[in-house]
Structure formats: structure tokens, C-alpha cells
Amino acid sequence: MNAYYRSAEKLGVQIRYNTPVQALELRNGEFVAALAGNERIEARACVLAAGGFESNREWLREAWGENARGEWPADNFLIRGTRFNQGVLLKFMIEAGADVIGDPSQSHCVAIDARAPLYDGGICTRVDCVSLGVVVNRDAERFYDEGEDFWPKRYAIWGRLVAHQPGQIGYSIIDSKAIGHFMPPVFPGAQANTLGELACQLGLDPERFTHTVERYNQACQPGQFDHTTLDNCATQGLTPPKTHWARPVDMPPLLRLRPAPRDHLYLSGAESE
């Protein structure tokens, strides 16, 4: 990025910091000037690369609405990126008559550690061990196939999956066999030697949690584990199934990380971390 900035400056491009644009001046549907505070900046053309609205809680609530449990899922979203993506210019262009493409509730929604800050947590807060264990919700129940496909192809769906769970929270459960096969997050996971002990740390029902994990363990079929391929380690007779990388969670210490949804929204072709 520094190389890009240097090249732009050599070409006479002015880089302006701390200069939020609150509106555009349009004439007959064409750009005339950008309005930044008391300044009016004219140009022959304008490229809006102003990000989404993932930091605008009111807009998120409007887009996601209230669920059947009487919850407003967006209230529990953590924003991995900047707090400044308020969607100001998206809203301006929509009100000016710009075409809106897609559903505003659709998004790049990643599961991150629930202990991450509300804003600016960055990629180091992402929970990447999902495909190597099981994920349960607040009711200690699995709700999706953790091994559906390679993690780089599936990580962006898990925030949405967690967002539809009670309290918008889930728990990724692994054992010591998984260590070294994923990018560890910045926050260490809790550890325990038994499922019941781990459930107590999580505030989950120990009996139900133990039943869920033991049922999964019993459904795991023998296979050749290889986290770099779509291996033949799968469950049998389990709903939802785990179609790859299914190994019993039974080697202490048992660990858990708490994924919570993080939202990263796309609207009218604009997106930003």
C-alpha cells in the first residue's frame, strides 16, 4: 500500500486524511463535487469506495430484524473492521435514486472470538478451528456440518450460522489432536480434561453437552485423516452430519473457543473491512 501511495503522490494525487465526505453534489444525476465539512471538492468523476454499513447498528437492526425468539441478532454483532463504516454515502446514493443490488441482510459474516473488541479486532480474532471439531450452540446442540468443505471456502458462512443461534453465540470444541492444524486466535481457549468439566466452564448443561459430543464421537467412522484434503473421515447416522475431518473429540485436554458473529456487509458493490 505504501508503494501505491508513493506512486499516486508522484502523479500529483492528493491524499487527504481525516476528511469525511458527508454528501455529494449531483446535477442531473451526474457528479459535480464532494462535500467534506465546509469544503467543496470538484472533480470530473468520482469513485465511491466508501465501504459498507456494518458499523451502523441502527441500519443493521433494520436489515436483520427481530427473530422468532424476540432477539435482535444485530445487537450482538462484533465488527472486526473499522467503526467508521456507517454507510453515509451508500444511504445518500440510495436516497438519490441509485439502484440497490441484492438483499442488505446478506453479508460476509465470519465467526470470531466472542471476547474480541466491538470494533477493530482484525483477522487474529477469527475462529479457524471449526472444521477440526464440533460446534454447539447455547443449548449444547450441533447445528451444521463443520466439515462441509475446506475452511477457506466455508469460514465466511459461520458468522451467519451463529447469528441464527440463541444469543448469537456458539462454542467450537476441539481436543489436543487438532492443535497445530489451524491459525490460533489471539485469545486462548478454555481447557478441561472431561466433557462435563468443560461444559461447566461454558455454562452449558453438562448432561446435554456430554450427550451431544459422545453421540458425535460414536458416529465417527474410521478413515485416513488429512486436513489438507477432502478426506474420508466422516460420521454415519448423525444429523447434521460431518462429512470430512470427523475424528472423536476425546484426547485431553479438551478445548473450546467461543465464536460470535462478526458482520461485514456488501451493498451496491461497495465493501470494506
Side-chain angles (χ1 to χ4, degrees):
M1 292 303 299
N2 289 335
Y4 290 147
Y5 280 117
R6 286 193 296 269
S7 297
E9 287 171 344
K10 287 179 181 177
L11 293 171
V13 175
Q14 295 181 24
I15 311 296
R16 301 286 291 276
Y17 296 96
N18 298 317
T19 312
V21 175
Q22 74 269 17
L24 304 178
E25 182 181 328
L26 305 176
R27 185 179 303 136
N28 298 323
E30 295 187 357
F31 174 79
V32 177
L35 307 179
N38 296 323
E39 191 173 8
R40 181 176 177 274
I41 304 170
E42 294 186 2
R44 287 179 296 179
C46 175
V47 176
L48 283 183
F53 61 89
E54 65 268 28
S55 302
N56 188 323
R57 194 69 59 175
E58 182 179 348
W59 199 344
L60 288 177
R61 286 181 112 242
E62 178 184 323
W64 278 76
E66 185 179 7
N67 64 24
R69 292 182 292 271
E71 301 169 331
W72 293 82
D75 289 349
N76 287 326
F77 289 176
L78 304 178
I79 312 304
R80 191 172 66 173
T82 174
R83 70 189 65 224
F84 299 112
N85 276 356
Q86 295 289 327
V88 172
L89 293 183
L90 282 176
K91 181 84 69 176
F92 175 88
M93 290 303 298
I94 291 171
E95 292 175 351
D99 291 336
V100 177
I101 306 300
D103 180 350
S105 73
Q106 296 301 307
S107 59
H108 179 104
C109 209
V110 179
I112 67 170
D113 197 296
R115 296 163 294 182
L118 180 58
Y119 298 104
D120 295 314
I123 195 173
C124 64
T125 62
R126 195 175 73 196
V127 175
D128 277 358
C129 60
V130 166
S131 59
L132 299 170
V134 296
V135 177
V136 300
N137 61 19
R138 194 175 62 187
D139 298 327
E141 297 175 346
R142 292 177 61 247
F143 51 89
Y144 198 77
D145 179 356
E146 301 93 344
E148 184 178 43
D149 205 338
F150 289 114
W151 186 238
K153 296 183 179 180
R154 284 296 179 269
Y155 77 91
I157 71 169
W158 274 88
R160 177 171 293 276
L161 291 170
V162 173
H164 288 302
Q165 300 307 307
Q168 294 70 59
I169 194 164
Y171 302 87
S172 184
I173 313 299
I174 59 174
D175 65 9
S176 58
K177 296 192 297 292
I179 301 300
H181 294 313
F182 63 95
M183 181 185 78
V186 67
F187 302 105
Q191 299 185 29
N193 289 321
T194 68
L195 293 171
E197 183 184 342
L198 187 61
C200 289
Q201 288 192 42
L202 305 181
L204 301 178
D205 182 278
E207 184 176 348
R208 183 179 295 180
F209 176 73
T210 299
H211 173 76
T212 294
V213 178
E214 287 184 345
R215 186 164 173 262
Y216 161 80
N217 288 347
Q218 294 164 5
C220 291
Q221 301 301 297
Q224 188 67 37
F225 174 80
D226 185 349
H227 74 286
T228 67
T229 67
L230 294 173
D231 69 9
N232 61 350
C233 293
T235 59
Q236 187 175 42
L238 189 67
T239 303
K242 186 174 182 183
T243 48
H244 302 287
W245 313 296
R247 294 192 294 177
V249 179
D250 58 4
M251 184 178 292
L254 309 174
L255 305 97
R256 74 90 178 93
L257 297 165
R258 299 182 296 173
R262 169 265 184 184
D263 216 24
H264 172 169
L265 291 141
Y266 296 76
L267 185 64
S268 300
E271 67 87 8
S272 174
E273 288 278 290

